[in-house]
Amino acid sequence: MNYPLAHPPKVLCGQAANTLKRVRAWFFAGLFWALGVLGTGLASAQTPGRFADDMAERTRACTACHGDQGRAGPDGYYPRLAGKPAGYLHNQLRNFAQGRRHYDLMARLVNPLNDDYLGEMAQYFAQLKLPYPPPTANNAISPERLAKGQQLVTQGDAARGLPACTQCHGVRLTGVQPNVPGLLGLPLDYLNAQLGAWQTGQRRAHAPDCMAEVVKRMPAADLIAVSSWLARQPLPADTQATDRRPAGPALPEALRCGSAPELSGQAPAQPLAGGRS
């Protein structure tokens, strides 16, 4: 038998042997795969599913950064979600989805989700009642600057048209249902980052944007004084957001909050619909 020079007998035998080896390998690989599928099917028929079909399981992508059950991330930049007012959480998810807040990872997570589902996520985290850790802020700041921060938080500055933080965030600074978050229990780095983001326009809210207007009236030193004082305060025994908006004069038109229209009422404090006093 004559063979072409490119395929002498030994080469052909070697190729045949290699082909046979590959066929055998494919056969056994297919057999093992089929047995594996069969075994998986039998196991799944005998044991319950591995994952629960509930919101705790579906929000694992959130808690990977924001901590177990939304308690807050360990690095100071991912804030607590647990126990915040549901309206506030829902508004923030909308802000990420609609470009008023800028963080690519959050935008990618919420973009595929419809608004009703974002509301369900907000309700889930809002109903988690978890203890807060003690404050840990220890940045270098003078007692005088801390006193200035306390003054701005609790009294405001009439000369600059600045309301006290307590006028919107509640006397105990734990927030007001349904749309205003608490200011206590937040890491110093997070507070500084968010106040700075409002100053630079990287963070916005529904118009009229009261926080954007407030920070325009405050120099950086005052913002740091405010965040430093807030981050040092322990939380009260009752950490829940109040259902009664703070008493006091109505906010001026320039400081109305589009994301919390309930704050624009008149002086007497009134219970919000469906809330407790």
Side-chain angles (χ1 to χ4, degrees):
M1 182 180 294
N2 294 324
Y3 295 96
L5 292 178
H7 302 285
K10 290 184 178 180
V11 173
L12 284 176
C13 291
Q15 289 178 339
N18 289 336
T19 299
L20 181 59
K21 290 179 181 178
R22 287 197 295 270
V23 170
R24 287 174 176 171
W26 292 337
F27 171 81
F28 286 112
L31 178 62
F32 292 146
W33 176 84
L35 291 174
V37 170
L38 178 61
T40 301
L42 292 174
S44 62
Q46 297 172 1
T47 60
R50 182 179 176 185
F51 301 111
D53 184 14
D54 56 23
M55 192 57 75
E57 191 65 43
R58 297 173 197 160
T59 56
R60 283 186 180 274
C62 306
T63 57
C65 292
H66 289 275
D68 180 44
Q69 294 184 290
R71 295 172 184 264
D75 57 6
Y77 287 100
Y78 293 94
R80 181 185 179 97
L81 302 178
K84 286 188 174 180
Y88 171 77
L89 293 175
H90 195 180
N91 278 334
Q92 299 317 301
L93 291 170
R94 288 168 169 160
N95 288 343
F96 281 114
Q98 297 167 13
R100 284 181 290 270
R101 292 188 69 172
H102 302 282
Y103 185 48
D104 188 59
L105 178 58
M106 279 296 302
R108 289 173 181 268
L109 285 173
V110 301
N111 277 344
L113 308 177
N114 63 43
D115 192 65
D116 288 342
Y117 195 79
L118 296 181
E120 290 182 39
M121 293 170 62
Q123 289 287 348
Y124 166 73
F125 283 110
Q127 58 84 32
L128 295 177
K129 312 303 182 188
L130 305 172
Y132 281 77
T136 59
N138 59 1
N139 60 310
I141 186 170
S142 70
E144 293 76 18
R145 294 308 301 166
L146 277 179
K148 182 64 173 179
Q150 180 180 15
Q151 175 198 334
L152 291 168
V153 169
T154 60
Q155 301 173 37
D157 186 341
R160 288 183 278 175
L162 286 172
C165 300
T166 52
Q167 189 170 339
C168 292
H169 294 271
V171 175
R172 294 182 293 116
L173 295 168
T174 56
V176 178
Q177 295 287 2
N179 295 310
V180 183
L183 298 181
L184 301 184
L186 292 170
L188 175 63
D189 289 338
Y190 177 78
L191 286 169
N192 283 333
Q194 299 313 304
L195 291 172
W198 258 303
Q199 273 201 327
T200 60
Q202 291 298 304
R203 178 171 179 175
R204 295 178 290 121
H206 291 285
D209 189 347
C210 54
M211 278 301 302
E213 182 61 32
V214 165
V215 298
K216 286 178 184 176
R217 305 180 186 193
M218 299 176 67
D222 282 355
L223 292 177
I224 293 173
V226 165
S227 62
S228 298
W229 187 83
L230 288 171
R232 283 168 163 77
Q233 305 312 302
L235 278 98
D238 182 3
T239 62
Q240 302 306 307
T242 180
D243 288 339
R244 185 184 292 270
R245 64 173 173 257
L251 293 168
E253 193 68 33
L255 295 179
R256 299 292 172 92
C257 293
S259 56
E262 66 274 10
L263 294 177
S264 299
Q266 297 301 313
Q270 298 293 331
L272 300 173
R276 59 177 174 81
S277 60

